[in-house]
Amino acid sequence: MPAKINHYDAVLRICVDECRVGSIQGRVFSRRLTAPLTFCDVGDLLLQLEEIFDRQNFPQAFERKRTFGDGWEPMDLPLAPSLAEGMAPEAVAEAAGQVTTFELYVITRRNTTWQGFVDWLDGSPRSDYQSVLALLKLIDRHLLPFVQGRRH
């Protein structure tokens, strides 16, 4: 990624297509990618996003991960070498999930976790988070009405 990338260019548009108790599935759109990234649960989403951050070095990690051995294999991700080669801004802006859609901004990665904010695209106010755990709680709380609606 070029050094001039900023947090607004690096936004991750999360499209939730399926939502069940304790599980979400969907796609991620971003100018950082050449094609949508699919995820089968929230753990898969977090691992893939962390890999994107590490490989593109944005936001830069404040601590380096240690590994023991040669067993690490990089994930097959549709990473764009530059924003100019990534998804078109219009394609990202038009992407929508079947259940809900939100934009994830990861501003820093201090203390081996993420800090940033979420823009809910359904009119709910922006939510700040200081850790991945806080982010997971925000997402869970926001998706709860969708899960409850399916029970009725």
Side-chain angles (χ1 to χ4, degrees):
M1 299 301 292
K4 298 278 184 187
I5 189 171
N6 65 50
H7 302 290
Y8 293 98
D9 289 334
V11 65
L12 299 155
R13 190 173 187 107
I14 313 297
C15 300
V16 179
D17 294 326
E18 192 171 322
C19 181
R20 287 177 269 129
V21 176
S23 177
I24 63 171
Q25 295 179 9
R27 298 159 292 137
V28 178
F29 291 78
S30 177
R31 293 183 58 205
R32 303 171 74 155
L33 303 170
T34 58
L37 180 72
T38 59
F39 61 93
C40 61
D41 60 36
V42 74
D44 184 39
L45 172 65
L46 296 177
L47 289 173
Q48 290 187 76
L49 295 182
E50 184 73 12
E51 177 99 4
I52 290 169
F53 302 153
D54 285 345
R55 290 187 32 205
Q56 292 180 333
N57 200 31
F58 187 87
Q60 189 174 36
F62 280 72
E63 297 176 14
R64 293 281 177 220
K65 293 180 184 173
R66 292 181 3 179
T67 59
F68 301 96
D70 297 330
W72 180 79
E73 297 250 347
M75 293 180 186
D76 184 25
L77 300 171
L79 295 176
S82 70
L83 291 179
E85 299 173 71
M87 298 175 77
E90 299 81 21
V92 175
E94 293 170 2
Q98 295 172 10
V99 175
T100 191
T101 306
F102 58 92
E103 291 186 336
L104 177 63
Y105 294 83
V106 180
I107 306 300
T108 63
R109 294 193 295 159
R110 293 181 186 264
N111 303 319
T112 65
T113 193
W114 307 348
Q115 296 81 35
F117 61 93
V118 178
D119 272 339
W120 308 106
L121 300 180
D122 62 1
S124 298
R126 178 179 118 168
S127 301
D128 296 327
Y129 62 90
Q130 296 300 314
S131 68
V132 173
L133 180 58
L135 171 64
L136 291 174
K137 288 180 180 181
L138 286 172
I139 293 170
D140 189 53
R141 192 169 32 247
H142 192 80
L143 294 177
L144 186 60
F146 297 104
V147 173
Q148 291 174 338
R150 291 184 132 206
R151 290 184 189 164
H152 299 328

